[in-house]
Structure formats: structure tokens, C-alpha cells
Amino acid sequence: MKGLEKEISMEEFKELAKDMKPVLKSMETALKKHNINCLTSMAVSTDGYFNFNVHDSEWVYSRADSNARSLISIHISEEV
């Protein structure tokens, strides 16, 4: 995964933020539909990687890249 190839200007970032508005609205709608009222996080890259977490649960939805299958998984922990 590469980083930024150049420094992003404020104007470029503003345009990116505008493009993200409908994506975020769609995510909010899906969370409300499924009664998710807690914090979630999403990491995404242009190579197809993503990692979605619902923080008050142990569930994760992720994919390593565009060629990988997307999977749900659950983190199980127990005090020892």
C-alpha cells in the first residue's frame, strides 16, 4: 500500500470531503437501519482493502485487497 504521492492541498481535500458526503450519509442510513447507535470505524484503500468495526461488538467486516474475499469475523477474548 502506498502513501500519498504528493502533499494534498486544502482545496483538494475540500473536494475529497465533498465527494465523501454521500458515502457517509449512506453509511449513516445503513447504521440506523440496523439500530447501530455506537461508534464504528472504517479504513479503506484504493487497492480494495477495507476494515469495518462496530466498537461495542467484537464483529469485523474486512477484505485484504480487491482479489480477496470479504469476510466477517468475531474477536473472542477471555480473561486468564
Side-chain angles (χ1 to χ4, degrees):
M1 183 182 334
K2 288 184 177 181
L4 285 174
E5 293 184 10
K6 65 180 179 97
E7 189 171 322
I8 189 167
S9 71
M10 183 186 302
E11 286 305 313
E12 289 172 314
F13 193 75
K14 279 179 160 179
E15 290 303 312
L16 174 60
K18 287 177 188 176
D19 288 344
M20 293 305 298
K21 279 183 160 185
V23 175
L24 297 171
K25 183 64 179 171
S26 179
M27 289 177 68
E28 288 174 10
T29 299
L31 294 171
K32 287 176 184 176
K33 176 182 174 182
H34 296 280
N35 297 313
I36 305 296
N37 298 312
C38 62
L39 184 65
T40 62
S41 62
M42 181 88 167
V44 181
S45 72
T46 57
D47 67 356
Y49 167 89
F50 69 83
N51 190 23
F52 174 71
N53 296 289
V54 176
H55 289 253
D56 283 356
S57 79
E58 301 295 330
W59 287 103
V60 176
Y61 178 42
S62 61
R63 181 175 67 196
D65 60 44
S66 294
N67 298 317
R69 297 179 306 151
S70 54
L71 304 169
I72 60 170
S73 58
I74 190 164
H75 178 87
I76 299 173
S77 60
E78 186 174 326
E79 188 175 331
V80 291

